[in-house]
Amino acid sequence: MLSRNFHEQTRVLRPCALAAAWLLSAGAAWAQDDASQANKLGSSGRPSVLVEPRFGVMQTWTDNNRLSSTNKDAALLTTLTPGISISTTRGAIRGSLDYSLNGIVYTKSDEKARVQHSLAAKGVAELIDNLFFVDASASVSQQAASAFGVQTVDPLLANANRRETATVSVSPRIQGRIGSVANFELRANTSATNVSDAVIGDSHANGGNLRISRAGRAALTWSLDASTQKSSFKTGAQNRVSSATASLGYTPDVDWKLGVLAGRERSDLKDFVLRNSWTYGANLSWTPSPRTKVSADFQSHEYGDSFSYNLEHRWSRSALRFSDSQSVNAASFQNAGAPRSNYDLYFFQFASLVPDPAQRDVFVRNFLRAQGLSADALASSAVVDTGPTVLRTQLLSYSLQGVRTTLTATASRNNNRRLASASSSAGDFAANGRVLQRSLSVNISHNLTPTSSAVLTALQQESEGDTAAQSSTLRSISASWNCRLGTRTNFTLGARAAHSGGLISYRENAMFANLVQQF
């Protein structure tokens, strides 16, 4: 047993050590480049590339590693986490990237050691000045395979319902002017999603769009759009949507924007039967100040209406957002929705403080880390997509940054309705016409001293299907103490309790300590 555990530890920790060494060396190289560029820019200039390598060590003791009511497995988890954040603010490539690798070893447990990845990246490359661009994004995150399976607040635990989901999207575009009359944008896009240890959820999509719009500023504007998009799931579901629309926009005042559109669509999102139909819609936007925005967008489709109603307002130290949106959720047809995490909410709140998006990305991640808050916390329970659905998302979120206390609260409701027949669906929608999820979370962080804070987090999530037997609940509460040991070193000590009910119920208690060193 000891030799096998040692072998597993070596197998997992070796790539962590190599990744840490590579990130540190890459960070040093980038830092040298930044320093030389900063010298060229002068004392008032800022480097165009910001790089922050980091390395974390976490110890977690849990009394229920297997998340079971009868077969509990008390274990000590050791997690090594090398990571790096990179952002570029100027030049031909602009964007941000945050990556971390978790090497997890289980002591006094039969659970095998494993590696997890976490990635959030987005950017744009300007390959030909003012003409040819490439937009790209990528993400890797932990998601639930089923809304009714075992749910947990800690992705490090041994949960068979957890899936590592990777998504990448690339969209080249050409934009320019047609004389002095119109602007044009020709865009292609391709995206793919891969779910680890499963076929359900794997998908890819391809498509293109041509947009021609009136050039220059005017009270009355027009645009013509033609697009086609095809999405495919490995489980067999394939869908196509093609459309041609014409839009008119009117700006009676700098604060107001109005618009209408009409056109034709051809789609097979509903039971995989191609149908031609009319589509029409209207939109409204009111921005009385840079801190306040109200918008509404409605479109009628044969397979289901789509809409988005949003209200957002920022005060000097707080932010409020409400959204109610509905759209098709199938491979590339993603619901935009409102912010679903701490990161999204504070990225919005700090817009006036740090206008540059790339610099704001680094600022927000450092702020959350210093407060002992998870960037991904408060997210609605993410479930692997298994086919075309109509997803309605309602979300209310609020953040308040006081002199010593930071409050973040969010409530969400996701109603996911199946478009295809049960025989053509997979996962939860093979047995359910809809999946309803609700979540409520509150996070309070209080600065005890200039270098330490206490954090309290409460969370409740509920999922239900067509029958009472298909349901799950998760309630958890955690408390932690976060201390800054140096200018770039953070230490966290905490405990949590969780209770899950449904088809599989359990109780879990844990203590954890985490040390993160930035370079």
Side-chain angles (χ1 to χ4, degrees), residues 281-324:
N283 56 78
L284 166 70
S285 176
W286 178 45
T287 311
S289 73
R291 295 175 177 268
T292 305
K293 184 176 181 179
V294 179
S295 64
D297 190 320
F298 172 85
Q299 293 186 32
S300 175
H301 303 281
E302 185 272 340
Y303 48 80
D305 295 338
S306 64
F307 56 80
S308 177
Y309 308 120
N310 297 280
L311 167 65
E312 55 188 47
H313 181 74
R314 290 197 321 268
W315 293 271
S316 59
R317 286 184 170 269
S318 61
L320 173 69
R321 279 190 127 177
F322 170 77
S323 73
D324 186 355

mmCIF file of all heavy atoms in Angstrom, residues 281-324:
data_model
loop_
_atom_site.group_PDB
_atom_site.id
_atom_site.type_symbol
_atom_site.label_atom_id
_atom_site.label_comp_id
_atom_site.label_asym_id
_atom_site.label_seq_id
_atom_site.Cartn_x
_atom_site.Cartn_y
_atom_site.Cartn_z
ATOM 1 N N GLY A 281 -38.252 40.967 -34.423
ATOM 2 C CA GLY A 281 -37.890 41.353 -33.070
ATOM 3 C C GLY A 281 -37.718 42.842 -32.905
ATOM 4 O O GLY A 281 -37.827 43.623 -33.868
ATOM 5 N N ALA A 282 -37.451 43.242 -31.678
ATOM 6 C CA ALA A 282 -37.239 44.648 -31.340
ATOM 7 C C ALA A 282 -36.286 44.727 -30.159
ATOM 8 O O ALA A 282 -36.162 43.773 -29.374
ATOM 9 C CB ALA A 282 -38.556 45.335 -31.013
ATOM 10 N N ASN A 283 -35.591 45.844 -30.032
ATOM 11 C CA ASN A 283 -34.676 46.027 -28.911
ATOM 12 C C ASN A 283 -34.679 47.480 -28.464
ATOM 13 O O ASN A 283 -35.015 48.393 -29.242
ATOM 14 C CB ASN A 283 -33.260 45.574 -29.273
ATOM 15 C CG ASN A 283 -32.723 46.273 -30.500
ATOM 16 O OD1 ASN A 283 -32.301 47.424 -30.441
ATOM 17 N ND2 ASN A 283 -32.737 45.579 -31.639
ATOM 18 N N LEU A 284 -34.300 47.668 -27.226
ATOM 19 C CA LEU A 284 -34.284 48.987 -26.602
ATOM 20 C C LEU A 284 -33.130 49.049 -25.625
ATOM 21 O O LEU A 284 -32.866 48.088 -24.894
ATOM 22 C CB LEU A 284 -35.608 49.231 -25.863
ATOM 23 C CG LEU A 284 -35.663 50.401 -24.867
ATOM 24 C CD1 LEU A 284 -35.618 51.725 -25.628
ATOM 25 C CD2 LEU A 284 -36.926 50.321 -24.010
ATOM 26 N N SER A 285 -32.452 50.189 -25.619
ATOM 27 C CA SER A 285 -31.351 50.399 -24.670
ATOM 28 C C SER A 285 -31.406 51.826 -24.158
ATOM 29 O O SER A 285 -31.529 52.773 -24.945
ATOM 30 C CB SER A 285 -30.004 50.140 -25.352
ATOM 31 O OG SER A 285 -28.937 50.425 -24.471
ATOM 32 N N TRP A 286 -31.309 51.950 -22.835
ATOM 33 C CA TRP A 286 -31.319 53.274 -22.194
ATOM 34 C C TRP A 286 -30.128 53.350 -21.249
ATOM 35 O O TRP A 286 -29.992 52.535 -20.342
ATOM 36 C CB TRP A 286 -32.626 53.498 -21.424
ATOM 37 C CG TRP A 286 -32.680 54.811 -20.710
ATOM 38 C CD1 TRP A 286 -32.334 56.036 -21.184
ATOM 39 C CD2 TRP A 286 -33.116 55.028 -19.353
ATOM 40 N NE1 TRP A 286 -32.518 57.009 -20.231
ATOM 41 C CE2 TRP A 286 -33.003 56.412 -19.100
ATOM 42 C CE3 TRP A 286 -33.592 54.177 -18.355
ATOM 43 C CZ2 TRP A 286 -33.345 56.968 -17.874
ATOM 44 C CZ3 TRP A 286 -33.940 54.743 -17.126
ATOM 45 C CH2 TRP A 286 -33.816 56.117 -16.894
ATOM 46 N N THR A 287 -29.242 54.307 -21.495
ATOM 47 C CA THR A 287 -28.039 54.494 -20.679
ATOM 48 C C THR A 287 -28.010 55.920 -20.155
ATOM 49 O O THR A 287 -27.385 56.811 -20.758
ATOM 50 C CB THR A 287 -26.772 54.198 -21.500
ATOM 51 O OG1 THR A 287 -26.912 52.954 -22.177
ATOM 52 C CG2 THR A 287 -25.537 54.126 -20.608
ATOM 53 N N PRO A 288 -28.694 56.194 -19.050
ATOM 54 C CA PRO A 288 -28.740 57.569 -18.537
ATOM 55 C C PRO A 288 -27.410 58.060 -17.992
ATOM 56 O O PRO A 288 -27.191 59.266 -17.885
ATOM 57 C CB PRO A 288 -29.793 57.496 -17.439
ATOM 58 C CG PRO A 288 -29.799 56.063 -17.005
ATOM 59 C CD PRO A 288 -29.491 55.274 -18.230
ATOM 60 N N SER A 289 -26.502 57.121 -17.638
ATOM 61 C CA SER A 289 -25.177 57.498 -17.131
ATOM 62 C C SER A 289 -24.234 56.334 -17.365
ATOM 63 O O SER A 289 -24.675 55.212 -17.631
ATOM 64 C CB SER A 289 -25.252 57.835 -15.636
ATOM 65 O OG SER A 289 -25.414 56.660 -14.861
ATOM 66 N N PRO A 290 -22.910 56.574 -17.277
ATOM 67 C CA PRO A 290 -21.967 55.454 -17.430
ATOM 68 C C PRO A 290 -22.147 54.359 -16.381
ATOM 69 O O PRO A 290 -21.673 53.242 -16.566
ATOM 70 C CB PRO A 290 -20.598 56.131 -17.286
ATOM 71 C CG PRO A 290 -20.830 57.569 -17.639
ATOM 72 C CD PRO A 290 -22.212 57.871 -17.155
ATOM 73 N N ARG A 291 -22.849 54.657 -15.293
ATOM 74 C CA ARG A 291 -23.027 53.696 -14.216
ATOM 75 C C ARG A 291 -24.328 52.902 -14.319
ATOM 76 O O ARG A 291 -24.512 51.923 -13.612
ATOM 77 C CB ARG A 291 -23.010 54.411 -12.861
ATOM 78 C CG ARG A 291 -21.680 55.065 -12.521
ATOM 79 C CD ARG A 291 -21.786 55.849 -11.223
ATOM 80 N NE ARG A 291 -20.513 56.432 -10.829
ATOM 81 C CZ ARG A 291 -19.640 55.853 -10.036
ATOM 82 N NH1 ARG A 291 -19.894 54.658 -9.560
ATOM 83 N NH2 ARG A 291 -18.522 56.461 -9.716
ATOM 84 N N THR A 292 -25.235 53.333 -15.191
ATOM 85 C CA THR A 292 -26.560 52.727 -15.245
ATOM 86 C C THR A 292 -26.907 52.349 -16.677
ATOM 87 O O THR A 292 -26.670 53.126 -17.607
ATOM 88 C CB THR A 292 -27.632 53.689 -14.702
ATOM 89 O OG1 THR A 292 -27.267 54.107 -13.394
ATOM 90 C CG2 THR A 292 -28.990 53.009 -14.660
ATOM 91 N N LYS A 293 -27.477 51.162 -16.855
ATOM 92 C CA LYS A 293 -27.910 50.722 -18.174
ATOM 93 C C LYS A 293 -29.119 49.816 -18.046
ATOM 94 O O LYS A 293 -29.150 48.920 -17.210
ATOM 95 C CB LYS A 293 -26.786 49.980 -18.900
ATOM 96 C CG LYS A 293 -27.153 49.578 -20.315
ATOM 97 C CD LYS A 293 -25.990 48.923 -21.044
ATOM 98 C CE LYS A 293 -26.383 48.557 -22.471
ATOM 99 N NZ LYS A 293 -25.252 47.933 -23.206
ATOM 100 N N VAL A 294 -30.108 50.071 -18.891
ATOM 101 C CA VAL A 294 -31.299 49.247 -18.978
ATOM 102 C C VAL A 294 -31.453 48.822 -20.437
ATOM 103 O O VAL A 294 -31.358 49.655 -21.339
ATOM 104 C CB VAL A 294 -32.558 50.006 -18.514
ATOM 105 C CG1 VAL A 294 -33.795 49.109 -18.639
ATOM 106 C CG2 VAL A 294 -32.398 50.499 -17.087
ATOM 107 N N SER A 295 -31.658 47.542 -20.678
ATOM 108 C CA SER A 295 -31.781 47.067 -22.051
ATOM 109 C C SER A 295 -32.810 45.955 -22.137
ATOM 110 O O SER A 295 -33.049 45.227 -21.165
ATOM 111 C CB SER A 295 -30.429 46.570 -22.577
ATOM 112 O OG SER A 295 -29.979 45.449 -21.843
ATOM 113 N N ALA A 296 -33.422 45.849 -23.320
ATOM 114 C CA ALA A 296 -34.408 44.804 -23.587
ATOM 115 C C ALA A 296 -34.263 44.387 -25.038
ATOM 116 O O ALA A 296 -34.097 45.225 -25.923
ATOM 117 C CB ALA A 296 -35.816 45.296 -23.307
ATOM 118 N N ASP A 297 -34.322 43.085 -25.267
ATOM 119 C CA ASP A 297 -34.182 42.541 -26.618
ATOM 120 C C ASP A 297 -35.117 41.343 -26.740
ATOM 121 O O ASP A 297 -35.074 40.430 -25.913
ATOM 122 C CB ASP A 297 -32.731 42.127 -26.869
ATOM 123 C CG ASP A 297 -32.476 41.793 -28.333
ATOM 124 O OD1 ASP A 297 -33.344 41.167 -28.963
ATOM 125 O OD2 ASP A 297 -31.411 42.144 -28.848
ATOM 126 N N PHE A 298 -35.951 41.353 -27.794
ATOM 127 C CA PHE A 298 -36.899 40.261 -28.001
ATOM 128 C C PHE A 298 -36.848 39.823 -29.452
ATOM 129 O O PHE A 298 -36.801 40.662 -30.369
ATOM 130 C CB PHE A 298 -38.315 40.689 -27.635
ATOM 131 C CG PHE A 298 -39.353 39.659 -28.005
ATOM 132 C CD1 PHE A 298 -39.632 38.617 -27.143
ATOM 133 C CD2 PHE A 298 -40.030 39.725 -29.220
ATOM 134 C CE1 PHE A 298 -40.572 37.653 -27.480
ATOM 135 C CE2 PHE A 298 -40.970 38.767 -29.561
ATOM 136 C CZ PHE A 298 -41.242 37.721 -28.690
ATOM 137 N N GLN A 299 -36.831 38.501 -29.682
ATOM 138 C CA GLN A 299 -36.885 37.955 -31.028
ATOM 139 C C GLN A 299 -37.801 36.741 -31.044
ATOM 140 O O GLN A 299 -37.747 35.897 -30.142
ATOM 141 C CB GLN A 299 -35.492 37.558 -31.521
ATOM 142 C CG GLN A 299 -34.550 38.727 -31.744
ATOM 143 C CD GLN A 299 -33.236 38.290 -32.360
ATOM 144 O OE1 GLN A 299 -33.189 37.340 -33.124
ATOM 145 N NE2 GLN A 299 -32.170 38.996 -32.022
ATOM 146 N N SER A 300 -38.636 36.666 -32.069
ATOM 147 C CA SER A 300 -39.551 35.548 -32.231
ATOM 148 C C SER A 300 -38.948 34.529 -33.188
ATOM 149 O O SER A 300 -38.477 34.880 -34.279
ATOM 150 C CB SER A 300 -40.892 36.047 -32.776
ATOM 151 O OG SER A 300 -41.767 34.967 -33.056
ATOM 152 N N HIS A 301 -38.942 33.255 -32.750
ATOM 153 C CA HIS A 301 -38.436 32.158 -33.570
ATOM 154 C C HIS A 301 -39.440 31.014 -33.563
ATOM 155 O O HIS A 301 -40.192 30.838 -32.584
ATOM 156 C CB HIS A 301 -37.088 31.649 -33.047
ATOM 157 C CG HIS A 301 -36.031 32.696 -32.960
ATOM 158 N ND1 HIS A 301 -35.324 33.139 -34.037
ATOM 159 C CD2 HIS A 301 -35.575 33.388 -31.881
ATOM 160 C CE1 HIS A 301 -34.446 34.067 -33.657
ATOM 161 N NE2 HIS A 301 -34.585 34.227 -32.348
ATOM 162 N N GLU A 302 -39.433 30.211 -34.602
ATOM 163 C CA GLU A 302 -40.334 29.077 -34.704
ATOM 164 C C GLU A 302 -40.076 28.046 -33.613
ATOM 165 O O GLU A 302 -40.994 27.419 -33.100
ATOM 166 C CB GLU A 302 -40.191 28.448 -36.100
ATOM 167 C CG GLU A 302 -41.165 27.318 -36.395
ATOM 168 C CD GLU A 302 -40.629 25.960 -35.946
ATOM 169 O OE1 GLU A 302 -39.394 25.845 -35.777
ATOM 170 O OE2 GLU A 302 -41.435 25.046 -35.737
ATOM 171 N N TYR A 303 -38.817 27.881 -33.218
ATOM 172 C CA TYR A 303 -38.454 26.876 -32.223
ATOM 173 C C TYR A 303 -38.545 27.402 -30.798
ATOM 174 O O TYR A 303 -38.326 26.656 -29.840
ATOM 175 C CB TYR A 303 -37.035 26.374 -32.483
ATOM 176 C CG TYR A 303 -36.021 27.484 -32.699
ATOM 177 C CD1 TYR A 303 -35.465 28.174 -31.632
ATOM 178 C CD2 TYR A 303 -35.633 27.838 -33.986
ATOM 179 C CE1 TYR A 303 -34.545 29.182 -31.829
ATOM 180 C CE2 TYR A 303 -34.701 28.848 -34.199
ATOM 181 C CZ TYR A 303 -34.167 29.510 -33.125
ATOM 182 O OH TYR A 303 -33.250 30.528 -33.334
ATOM 183 N N GLY A 304 -38.874 28.684 -30.617
ATOM 184 C CA GLY A 304 -38.976 29.252 -29.273
ATOM 185 C C GLY A 304 -38.459 30.671 -29.233
ATOM 186 O O GLY A 304 -37.384 30.952 -29.768
ATOM 187 N N ASP A 305 -39.208 31.566 -28.618
ATOM 188 C CA ASP A 305 -38.801 32.968 -28.560
ATOM 189 C C ASP A 305 -37.543 33.125 -27.712
ATOM 190 O O ASP A 305 -37.311 32.393 -26.753
ATOM 191 C CB ASP A 305 -39.930 33.823 -27.974
ATOM 192 C CG ASP A 305 -41.158 33.835 -28.868
ATOM 193 O OD1 ASP A 305 -41.007 33.558 -30.068
ATOM 194 O OD2 ASP A 305 -42.261 34.106 -28.351
ATOM 195 N N SER A 306 -36.736 34.118 -28.077
ATOM 196 C CA SER A 306 -35.556 34.468 -27.285
ATOM 197 C C SER A 306 -35.682 35.910 -26.833
ATOM 198 O O SER A 306 -36.245 36.750 -27.543
ATOM 199 C CB SER A 306 -34.271 34.271 -28.098
ATOM 200 O OG SER A 306 -34.239 35.161 -29.201
ATOM 201 N N PHE A 307 -35.162 36.181 -25.635
ATOM 202 C CA PHE A 307 -35.226 37.549 -25.117
ATOM 203 C C PHE A 307 -34.120 37.743 -24.100
ATOM 204 O O PHE A 307 -33.524 36.785 -23.588
ATOM 205 C CB PHE A 307 -36.600 37.851 -24.487
ATOM 206 C CG PHE A 307 -37.006 36.892 -23.404
ATOM 207 C CD1 PHE A 307 -36.516 37.006 -22.107
ATOM 208 C CD2 PHE A 307 -37.885 35.854 -23.678
ATOM 209 C CE1 PHE A 307 -36.882 36.124 -21.115
ATOM 210 C CE2 PHE A 307 -38.268 34.955 -22.684
ATOM 211 C CZ PHE A 307 -37.768 35.097 -21.413
ATOM 212 N N SER A 308 -33.866 39.007 -23.826
ATOM 213 C CA SER A 308 -32.875 39.378 -22.812
ATOM 214 C C SER A 308 -33.263 40.727 -22.229
ATOM 215 O O SER A 308 -33.314 41.725 -22.953
ATOM 216 C CB SER A 308 -31.470 39.443 -23.423
ATOM 217 O OG SER A 308 -30.523 39.859 -22.449
ATOM 218 N N TYR A 309 -33.564 40.734 -20.935
ATOM 219 C CA TYR A 309 -33.898 41.957 -20.222
ATOM 220 C C TYR A 309 -32.845 42.152 -19.135
ATOM 221 O O TYR A 309 -32.635 41.265 -18.300
ATOM 222 C CB TYR A 309 -35.294 41.868 -19.605
ATOM 223 C CG TYR A 309 -36.365 41.464 -20.600
ATOM 224 C CD1 TYR A 309 -37.122 40.301 -20.399
ATOM 225 C CD2 TYR A 309 -36.606 42.218 -21.736
ATOM 226 C CE1 TYR A 309 -38.090 39.919 -21.305
ATOM 227 C CE2 TYR A 309 -37.573 41.849 -22.653
ATOM 228 C CZ TYR A 309 -38.314 40.691 -22.434
ATOM 229 O OH TYR A 309 -39.267 40.311 -23.343
ATOM 230 N N ASN A 310 -32.210 43.315 -19.137
ATOM 231 C CA ASN A 310 -31.098 43.541 -18.213
ATOM 232 C C ASN A 310 -31.207 44.905 -17.549
ATOM 233 O O ASN A 310 -31.585 45.901 -18.184
ATOM 234 C CB ASN A 310 -29.762 43.472 -18.962
ATOM 235 C CG ASN A 310 -29.499 42.104 -19.563
ATOM 236 O OD1 ASN A 310 -29.077 41.187 -18.880
ATOM 237 N ND2 ASN A 310 -29.764 41.976 -20.857
ATOM 238 N N LEU A 311 -30.844 44.920 -16.279
ATOM 239 C CA LEU A 311 -30.731 46.157 -15.509
ATOM 240 C C LEU A 311 -29.435 46.085 -14.733
ATOM 241 O O LEU A 311 -29.198 45.110 -14.012
ATOM 242 C CB LEU A 311 -31.914 46.319 -14.547
ATOM 243 C CG LEU A 311 -31.765 47.412 -13.465
ATOM 244 C CD1 LEU A 311 -31.702 48.787 -14.118
ATOM 245 C CD2 LEU A 311 -32.911 47.329 -12.456
ATOM 246 N N GLU A 312 -28.599 47.098 -14.872
ATOM 247 C CA GLU A 312 -27.350 47.118 -14.121
ATOM 248 C C GLU A 312 -27.042 48.541 -13.665
ATOM 249 O O GLU A 312 -27.313 49.513 -14.378
ATOM 250 C CB GLU A 312 -26.194 46.570 -14.953
ATOM 251 C CG GLU A 312 -25.984 47.249 -16.278
ATOM 252 C CD GLU A 312 -24.955 46.544 -17.135
ATOM 253 O OE1 GLU A 312 -25.035 45.303 -17.255
ATOM 254 O OE2 GLU A 312 -24.072 47.236 -17.670
ATOM 255 N N HIS A 313 -26.507 48.636 -12.461
ATOM 256 C CA HIS A 313 -26.156 49.952 -11.908
ATOM 257 C C HIS A 313 -24.957 49.800 -10.983
ATOM 258 O O HIS A 313 -24.877 48.847 -10.211
ATOM 259 C CB HIS A 313 -27.326 50.561 -11.139
ATOM 260 C CG HIS A 313 -27.021 51.916 -10.578
ATOM 261 N ND1 HIS A 313 -26.940 53.047 -11.364
ATOM 262 C CD2 HIS A 313 -26.751 52.311 -9.311
ATOM 263 C CE1 HIS A 313 -26.644 54.091 -10.601
ATOM 264 N NE2 HIS A 313 -26.523 53.668 -9.354
ATOM 265 N N ARG A 314 -24.035 50.734 -11.099
ATOM 266 C CA ARG A 314 -22.857 50.765 -10.235
ATOM 267 C C ARG A 314 -22.886 52.015 -9.370
ATOM 268 O O ARG A 314 -23.151 53.113 -9.853
ATOM 269 C CB ARG A 314 -21.561 50.792 -11.066
ATOM 270 C CG ARG A 314 -21.222 49.554 -11.789
ATOM 271 C CD ARG A 314 -19.751 49.543 -12.233
ATOM 272 N NE ARG A 314 -19.255 50.835 -12.693
ATOM 273 C CZ ARG A 314 -19.275 51.230 -13.965
ATOM 274 N NH1 ARG A 314 -19.797 50.468 -14.891
ATOM 275 N NH2 ARG A 314 -18.788 52.407 -14.298
ATOM 276 N N TRP A 315 -22.612 51.811 -8.099
ATOM 277 C CA TRP A 315 -22.317 52.914 -7.211
ATOM 278 C C TRP A 315 -20.802 52.955 -7.030
ATOM 279 O O TRP A 315 -20.076 52.173 -7.642
ATOM 280 C CB TRP A 315 -23.025 52.731 -5.872
ATOM 281 C CG TRP A 315 -24.512 52.829 -5.961
ATOM 282 C CD1 TRP A 315 -25.275 53.955 -5.847
ATOM 283 C CD2 TRP A 315 -25.440 51.754 -6.172
ATOM 284 N NE1 TRP A 315 -26.609 53.653 -5.987
ATOM 285 C CE2 TRP A 315 -26.739 52.310 -6.189
ATOM 286 C CE3 TRP A 315 -25.299 50.386 -6.371
ATOM 287 C CZ2 TRP A 315 -27.889 51.534 -6.377
ATOM 288 C CZ3 TRP A 315 -26.427 49.606 -6.565
ATOM 289 C CH2 TRP A 315 -27.697 50.182 -6.567
ATOM 290 N N SER A 316 -20.320 53.836 -6.198
ATOM 291 C CA SER A 316 -18.866 53.947 -6.027
ATOM 292 C C SER A 316 -18.275 52.686 -5.416
ATOM 293 O O SER A 316 -17.151 52.287 -5.736
ATOM 294 C CB SER A 316 -18.513 55.163 -5.160
ATOM 295 O OG SER A 316 -19.129 55.055 -3.886
ATOM 296 N N ARG A 317 -19.030 51.998 -4.548
ATOM 297 C CA ARG A 317 -18.504 50.810 -3.871
ATOM 298 C C ARG A 317 -19.422 49.596 -3.977
ATOM 299 O O ARG A 317 -19.239 48.623 -3.253
ATOM 300 C CB ARG A 317 -18.245 51.122 -2.383
ATOM 301 C CG ARG A 317 -17.026 51.987 -2.133
ATOM 302 C CD ARG A 317 -16.773 52.180 -0.646
ATOM 303 N NE ARG A 317 -15.485 52.805 -0.397
ATOM 304 C CZ ARG A 317 -14.364 52.147 -0.210
ATOM 305 N NH1 ARG A 317 -14.371 50.826 -0.265
ATOM 306 N NH2 ARG A 317 -13.237 52.784 0.022
ATOM 307 N N SER A 318 -20.395 49.653 -4.847
ATOM 308 C CA SER A 318 -21.308 48.515 -4.966
ATOM 309 C C SER A 318 -21.822 48.407 -6.392
ATOM 310 O O SER A 318 -21.700 49.338 -7.190
ATOM 311 C CB SER A 318 -22.480 48.655 -3.984
ATOM 312 O OG SER A 318 -23.213 49.835 -4.261
ATOM 313 N N ALA A 319 -22.408 47.260 -6.692
ATOM 314 C CA ALA A 319 -22.936 47.013 -8.034
ATOM 315 C C ALA A 319 -24.151 46.101 -7.923
ATOM 316 O O ALA A 319 -24.180 45.181 -7.099
ATOM 317 C CB ALA A 319 -21.874 46.377 -8.925
ATOM 318 N N LEU A 320 -25.145 46.371 -8.762
ATOM 319 C CA LEU A 320 -26.373 45.586 -8.793
ATOM 320 C C LEU A 320 -26.651 45.188 -10.229
ATOM 321 O O LEU A 320 -26.568 46.009 -11.146
ATOM 322 C CB LEU A 320 -27.551 46.396 -8.245
ATOM 323 C CG LEU A 320 -28.937 45.750 -8.368
ATOM 324 C CD1 LEU A 320 -29.033 44.547 -7.431
ATOM 325 C CD2 LEU A 320 -30.038 46.762 -8.070
ATOM 326 N N ARG A 321 -26.987 43.918 -10.423
ATOM 327 C CA ARG A 321 -27.327 43.439 -11.754
ATOM 328 C C ARG A 321 -28.520 42.503 -11.673
ATOM 329 O O ARG A 321 -28.596 41.638 -10.802
ATOM 330 C CB ARG A 321 -26.156 42.688 -12.393
ATOM 331 C CG ARG A 321 -25.101 43.577 -13.002
ATOM 332 C CD ARG A 321 -24.116 42.774 -13.813
ATOM 333 N NE ARG A 321 -23.978 43.317 -15.155
ATOM 334 C CZ ARG A 321 -23.129 42.847 -16.061
ATOM 335 N NH1 ARG A 321 -22.372 41.818 -15.764
ATOM 336 N NH2 ARG A 321 -23.057 43.387 -17.245
ATOM 337 N N PHE A 322 -29.451 42.698 -12.631
ATOM 338 C CA PHE A 322 -30.574 41.781 -12.777
ATOM 339 C C PHE A 322 -30.712 41.442 -14.253
ATOM 340 O O PHE A 322 -30.601 42.316 -15.120
ATOM 341 C CB PHE A 322 -31.875 42.390 -12.264
ATOM 342 C CG PHE A 322 -33.073 41.552 -12.621
ATOM 343 C CD1 PHE A 322 -33.361 40.397 -11.907
ATOM 344 C CD2 PHE A 322 -33.897 41.904 -13.691
ATOM 345 C CE1 PHE A 322 -34.458 39.613 -12.246
ATOM 346 C CE2 PHE A 322 -34.992 41.121 -14.031
ATOM 347 C CZ PHE A 322 -35.273 39.973 -13.308
ATOM 348 N N SER A 323 -30.963 40.180 -14.536
ATOM 349 C CA SER A 323 -31.164 39.779 -15.924
ATOM 350 C C SER A 323 -32.186 38.668 -15.985
ATOM 351 O O SER A 323 -32.298 37.838 -15.070
ATOM 352 C CB SER A 323 -29.853 39.326 -16.560
ATOM 353 O OG SER A 323 -29.473 38.061 -16.069
ATOM 354 N N ASP A 324 -32.935 38.677 -17.070
ATOM 355 C CA ASP A 324 -33.893 37.611 -17.377
ATOM 356 C C ASP A 324 -33.733 37.334 -18.864
ATOM 357 O O ASP A 324 -34.062 38.179 -19.705
ATOM 358 C CB ASP A 324 -35.312 38.066 -17.051
ATOM 359 C CG ASP A 324 -36.334 36.939 -17.217
ATOM 360 O OD1 ASP A 324 -35.947 35.845 -17.682
ATOM 361 O OD2 ASP A 324 -37.522 37.155 -16.902
#
